[in-house]
Amino acid sequence: MKRSSRASTSRPASVMTEPVDDKTPRPAAPRKRRRWLTVIKVLLGTVAALLALMLITVGVAVWILTPERLTPIVCKYGSEFLDADINAKRVELTFWSTFPRLTVEVEDLEVISRVFDKADPLQRSRIPPGADSLLSVGMFRLQSLSVRHGLACNFPH
């Protein structure tokens, strides 16, 4: 009985990148090309997934933060942050109609300072009417906000 000798190696031919012997060379270029295609596909898939996640997040935020929910939130936290009474008729986030910009629309905004509430009655009598009104706007739309060289505000305390 003759034992059969195996002429092939244990690795498949598609994995080999070096020639088995001088007669049968194997090219290495197709494997490198496949690797680059895989890397590009993974990168494009990751970018697409991140974009989809961002769109879904903004869409859900706009859907949840309806004007009926957003207006009291803006008035409450704005009043706490500014030490002023903030009243707004309507505050709305829009995204789909102004895509790709997120827009804030505010209707009938009024900001009244609470600084003069601490003054004594004599000082209050000397203050002209409406001096505590910091801002009164019928309607405005905030589409983009950028500060290039710094922002300084001087409000009396």
Side-chain angles (χ1 to χ4, degrees), residues 32-117:
K32 286 183 183 179
R33 188 176 308 145
R34 278 189 230 136
R35 189 175 294 163
W36 278 107
L37 286 174
T38 304
V39 169
I40 289 172
K41 286 179 185 179
V42 168
L43 286 176
L44 288 176
T46 304
V47 169
L50 288 175
L51 276 173
L53 182 65
M54 286 175 34
L55 286 175
I56 289 170
T57 303
V58 170
V60 167
V62 170
W63 179 59
I64 290 175
L65 293 174
T66 62
E68 294 79 22
R69 291 180 183 169
L70 185 61
T71 303
I73 292 171
V74 168
C75 292
K76 178 185 175 196
Y77 289 108
S79 294
E80 289 176 11
F81 180 73
L82 292 177
D83 191 27
D85 294 324
I86 296 180
N87 300 312
K89 182 179 178 183
R90 179 183 174 138
V91 180
E92 181 178 5
L93 284 175
T94 57
F95 181 67
W96 303 114
S97 62
T98 58
F99 185 77
R101 292 192 174 108
L102 182 66
T103 303
V104 179
E105 294 179 1
V106 181
E107 197 174 312
D108 293 335
L109 176 68
E110 187 176 50
V111 181
I112 299 172
S113 175
R114 288 187 292 228
V115 172
F116 298 127
D117 294 347

Side-chain angles (χ1 to χ4, degrees), residues 141-157:
R141 178 181 291 171
L142 180 64
Q143 290 182 333
S144 66
L145 178 65
S146 63
V147 179
R148 295 184 184 189
H149 300 291
L151 177 66
C153 297
N154 188 12
F155 292 111
H157 283 72

